[in-house]
Amino acid sequence: MKCLVTATGSMSAEVVITHLALLPDVEIIGCNMHPAAWTPASRLVQRFHQVPSAKEETAYLVRLLQICQVERISHVIALTDPEVDVLSLHREKFAALGVVLCIPPHPAVQTARDKLEMYRRFANHPRIRPITTTDLRDIGFMAFSGPLLGKPRSGRSSEGQVYIPDAAALQFWGERLAGQDYVVQPLHTGNVMVVDVVRHPDGQTVAMTRQELLRTTNGAGMTVRMQPGHICDVLAQEVADNLGMHGCINVEFLMVNDAPLLMDINPRFSAGVAFSIMAGYDMVANHLRCFSDKNLESCSAPPNSVYARGFIEYSLQD
């Protein structure tokens, strides 16, 4: 098996590559929009290719298909949302080369990446309560009832997010963002719960919830506490089932007055997937099982432990 791992500069890249390397007969090729000397995880792959940004959709797609042909890739594992967005639209082009895209089906990706569509999907669900989400263009300036957050409808990692404290700010941002796809949500406070979920196409699911004790402004957990048996385990599995997800994804909830509100669905590995692996379940190996006709491994309850992320400096040569 020869795997192409994209976005080797992403926060999940190192743990994904190191755990793929533990599997027998797996060769790992890496790619990223920046040079190998700028991405420490590039030292872990057999070969590295620089590619265009996924925002340059046509050039990115052409380059990845070229790499798959030259390297005889069997499986592609995409690590960032923009890449999943693009690749999910072109699965048949990779299939024609005998390449398996290890990402969820396009309809599931489309719903997960659209905050307004996600809200509509679960607004009337009997158990899953999403955060109320409204198109900015549908908000009446006289209907302001409390602090809001404005977000790009298909945004990620808090990019482009704006704080709207009052009606005057709502009018300002309504005019400033006119013509852009923005949504607004009530500003809630509470504990962020992130659930790594791996779902097999036949319906098998495993979920592990952690509370993010320290979190960066762009949503990456730095210190977390595992929460064995938390209600969010079950809810995240229901989200994955409802959307027909395949492979490892992550679902974020905000605990408000002890009630979980569905906040985000990310159709790829979380930045903190290493925490679930440290707690005893190999999300990477089981992600690959979802695309290799193998059953998921069983999962025991994680320890009620606290884990923290640090940083290491490297000297990389061109």
Side-chain angles (χ1 to χ4, degrees):
M1 181 182 294
K2 187 179 282 191
C3 294
L4 175 64
V5 177
T6 73
T8 57
S10 67
M11 293 188 75
S12 62
E14 185 145 340
V15 69
V16 169
I17 294 169
T18 54
H19 281 266
L20 284 175
L22 297 175
L23 301 175
D25 303 319
V26 173
E27 185 177 350
I28 308 163
I29 310 301
C31 68
N32 193 57
M33 63 182 288
H34 300 300
W38 296 8
T39 55
S42 67
R43 76 194 191 283
L44 303 172
V45 301
Q46 276 86 349
R47 281 180 299 286
F48 174 89
H49 297 268
Q50 189 170 356
V51 300
S53 166
K55 294 178 181 178
E56 302 172 38
E57 182 172 338
T58 300
Y60 172 80
L61 188 63
V62 167
R63 183 71 176 117
L64 245 63
L65 288 167
Q66 181 186 54
I67 293 169
C68 287
Q69 284 184 299
V70 170
E71 294 283 5
R72 298 187 178 182
I73 298 297
S74 62
H75 294 74
V76 173
I77 298 178
L79 300 186
T80 66
D81 293 322
E83 293 173 314
V84 172
D85 290 345
V86 172
L87 295 176
S88 70
L89 288 167
H90 300 283
R91 193 181 298 269
E92 71 286 348
K93 293 180 180 178
F94 289 86
L97 299 177
V99 177
V100 177
L101 291 182
C102 300
I103 60 176
H106 176 65
V109 171
Q110 196 171 33
T111 299
R113 295 278 293 121
D114 184 330
K115 291 177 172 57
L116 187 57
E117 182 59 30
M118 183 184 75
Y119 168 70
R120 291 169 175 164
R121 179 71 172 250
F122 293 103
N124 297 312
H125 194 280
R127 288 170 297 281
I128 299 166
R129 293 179 54 212
I131 294 177
T132 301
T133 304
T134 308
D135 192 310
L136 179 59
R137 290 165 290 201
D138 294 337
I139 288 287
F141 295 146
M142 302 305 294
F144 190 85
S145 60
L148 302 170
L149 286 178
K151 302 177 180 181
R153 183 167 167 172
S154 298
R156 59 188 289 266
S157 304
S158 300
E159 291 177 358
Q161 183 171 289
V162 297
Y163 173 56
I164 304 174
D166 51 38
L170 180 59
Q171 182 168 357
F172 170 82
W173 286 113
E175 295 170 355
R176 181 75 175 269
L177 299 171
Q180 299 185 46
D181 274 338
Y182 260 73
V183 296
V184 292
Q185 298 175 335
L187 176 62
H188 295 291
T189 58
N191 292 323
V192 175
M193 315 299 289
V194 175
V195 191
D196 287 326
V197 185
V198 59
R199 182 180 184 276
H200 197 279
D202 70 6
Q204 301 173 68
T205 57
V206 169
M208 296 180 75
T209 298
R210 60 183 178 268
Q211 178 186 350
E212 301 212 325
L213 305 176
L214 292 177
R215 181 177 170 94
T216 66
T217 55
N218 64 342
M222 299 301 293
T223 304
V224 307
R225 182 187 299 277
M226 301 306 296
Q227 297 284 356
H230 198 276
I231 182 60
C232 288
D233 283 355
V234 175
L235 295 178
Q237 288 174 322
E238 285 201 53
V239 168
D241 284 340
N242 184 287
L243 295 179
M245 289 289 185
H246 296 172
C248 188
I249 65 166
N250 73 96
V251 183
E252 298 184 1
F253 295 90
L254 188 66
M255 299 297 295
V256 179
N257 299 322
D258 295 324
L261 294 179
L262 176 61
M263 187 165 62
D264 279 306
I265 306 169
N266 300 303
R268 38 80 182 164
F269 288 111
S270 66
V273 69
F275 296 130
S276 289
I277 295 173
M278 291 173 68
Y281 194 73
D282 193 334
M283 291 285 173
V284 175
N286 283 282
H287 175 74
L288 200 56
R289 282 174 170 266
C290 293
F291 302 94
S292 307
D293 297 322
K294 297 179 181 179
N295 291 330
L296 296 185
E297 296 171 327
S298 60
C299 179
S300 57
N304 186 6
S305 300
V306 174
Y307 300 108
R309 182 197 306 274
F311 295 98
I312 300 174
E313 288 71 38
Y314 297 90
S315 174
L316 300 176
Q317 300 302 313
D318 289 318

